[in-house]
């Protein structure tokens, strides 16, 4: 158990819909990272928040957004969903803002029908 | 963009065999990491390497940070069934981790 929690574990929705994925980092970690992993693909970095502020951005679509709340949990919002958005979405956390050692949650499997 | 070449893409071995996989880059990196992902789970950090030439062990796992800082390898000795999974190398890029495409390890009992 990494100490990072993600909900829900599974999500099935239709094209055009909007969903919110939630992540709680390990106790004491200030950074939260979001990754997308498509079938048989590597991990694609989406975005990082550190202590409530956006710190780094990767290959995140404009239809996607995220935020980190004062209690340090984070939400990833995916809107106008397309079939190609079906993937595993992982949250990771690290203590500092330059997280060499990131600890991953169990992921949310999103299926868009 | 930054890219890691991880090989082999997949391995099929017998239980008890040793395993070796590697990761190369065209750029220099100061931190190399190895993660393992079990089916349906998130990646778990196995070994972190911070110094060129560094050789680090974690049980049956041994990883080395290449002297050129452009490569790393991971060895698993005497493989067991629970070693099955996908192994990813990763480097600390500009404000983010960059992951390799993974090596899928399958073990025949």
């Amino acid at each position: 158990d990494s100490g990072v929690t993600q909900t829900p574990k599974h999500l099935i929705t239709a094209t055009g819909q909007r969903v919110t994925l939630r992540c709680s980092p390990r106790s004491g970690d200030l950074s939260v990272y979001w990754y997308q992993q498509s079938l048989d693909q590597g991990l694609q970095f989406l975005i990082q928040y550190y202590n409530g502020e956006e710190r780094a951005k990767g290959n995140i679509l404009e239809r996607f957004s995220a935020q980190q709340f004062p209690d340090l949990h984070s939400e990833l919002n995916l809107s106008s969903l397309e079939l190609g958005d079906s993937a595993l979405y992982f949250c990771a956390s690290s203590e500092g803002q330059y997280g060499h050692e990131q600890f991953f949650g169990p992921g949310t499997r999103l299926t868009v029908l | 963009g930054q890219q890691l070449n991880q090989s082999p893409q997949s391995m099929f071995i017998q239980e008890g065999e040793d395993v070796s996989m590697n990761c190369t880059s065209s750029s220099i990196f100061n931190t190399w990491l190895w993660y393992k992902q079990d089916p349906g789970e998130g990646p778990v950090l196995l070994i972190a390497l911070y110094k060129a030439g560094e050789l680090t062990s974690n049980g049956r796992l041994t990883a080395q940070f290449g002297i050129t800082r452009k490569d790393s390898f991971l060895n698993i000795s005497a493989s067991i069934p629970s070693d099955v999974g996908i192994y990813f190398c990763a480097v600390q890029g500009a404000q983010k981790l960059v992951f390799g495409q993974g090596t899928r390890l399958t073990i025949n009992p």
Side-chain angles (χ1 to χ4, degrees):
Chain A
D1 185 353
S2 66
V4 178
T5 61
Q6 287 187 251
T7 56
K9 191 149 179 69
H10 301 277
L11 200 48
I12 301 175
T13 189
T15 54
Q17 295 298 304
R18 182 180 189 274
V19 297
T20 297
L21 314 183
R22 183 188 168 104
C23 167
S24 291
R26 289 187 324 159
S27 177
D29 285 357
L30 298 180
S31 274
V32 169
Y33 311 78
W34 287 97
Y35 292 86
Q36 180 191 58
Q37 185 178 40
S38 301
L39 189 64
D40 288 334
Q41 295 295 308
L43 289 144
Q44 299 297 317
F45 170 72
L46 296 178
I47 197 164
Q48 177 201 358
Y49 278 81
Y50 173 74
N51 205 20
E53 300 287 325
E54 183 183 304
R55 183 64 60 182
K57 227 169 183 176
N59 302 321
I60 188 166
L61 300 172
E62 283 193 15
R63 300 182 285 110
F64 296 0
S65 65
Q67 55 184 325
Q68 186 179 29
F69 295 87
D71 67 352
L72 300 177
H73 90 271
S74 178
E75 292 181 356
L76 178 68
N77 301 297
L78 314 176
S79 61
S80 302
L81 285 168
E82 302 174 359
L83 295 177
D85 296 329
S86 295
L88 272 166
Y89 291 85
F90 289 104
C91 165
S93 73
S94 70
E95 190 177 319
Q97 58 179 310
Y98 301 112
H100 298 162
E101 296 182 21
Q102 296 179 20
F103 296 87
F104 283 77
T108 293
R109 181 175 292 281
L110 174 66
T111 302
V112 183
L113 300 176
Chain B
Q2 296 154 345
Q3 219 171 357
L4 297 180
N5 296 310
Q6 192 170 346
S7 66
Q9 283 189 319
S10 59
M11 302 183 74
F12 298 85
I13 64 167
Q14 298 292 324
E15 185 177 347
E17 287 184 11
D18 295 344
V19 171
S20 185
M21 60 190 78
N22 67 74
C23 201
T24 61
S25 169
S26 57
S27 302
I28 289 173
F29 292 100
N30 293 319
T31 300
W32 285 78
L33 307 162
W34 285 94
Y35 283 85
K36 183 196 176 198
Q37 184 177 23
D38 289 330
E41 302 291 328
V44 173
L45 181 64
L46 299 174
I47 292 178
L49 301 160
Y50 297 105
K51 191 185 294 186
E54 178 183 2
L55 186 72
T56 298
S57 293
N58 178 6
R60 293 178 296 104
L61 276 60
T62 302
Q64 183 157 29
F65 187 161
I67 198 72
T68 64
R69 291 188 284 160
K70 291 184 177 181
D71 61 351
S72 177
F73 71 75
L74 175 71
N75 286 343
I76 305 172
S77 63
S79 59
I80 59 178
S82 62
D83 291 333
V84 163
I86 304 177
Y87 293 79
F88 291 100
C89 60
V91 292
Q92 180 69 42
Q95 295 183 306
K96 64 178 183 179
L97 285 185
V98 176
F99 285 82
Q101 289 298 88
T103 294
R104 182 181 296 273
L105 180 62
T106 302
I107 298 176
N108 299 316

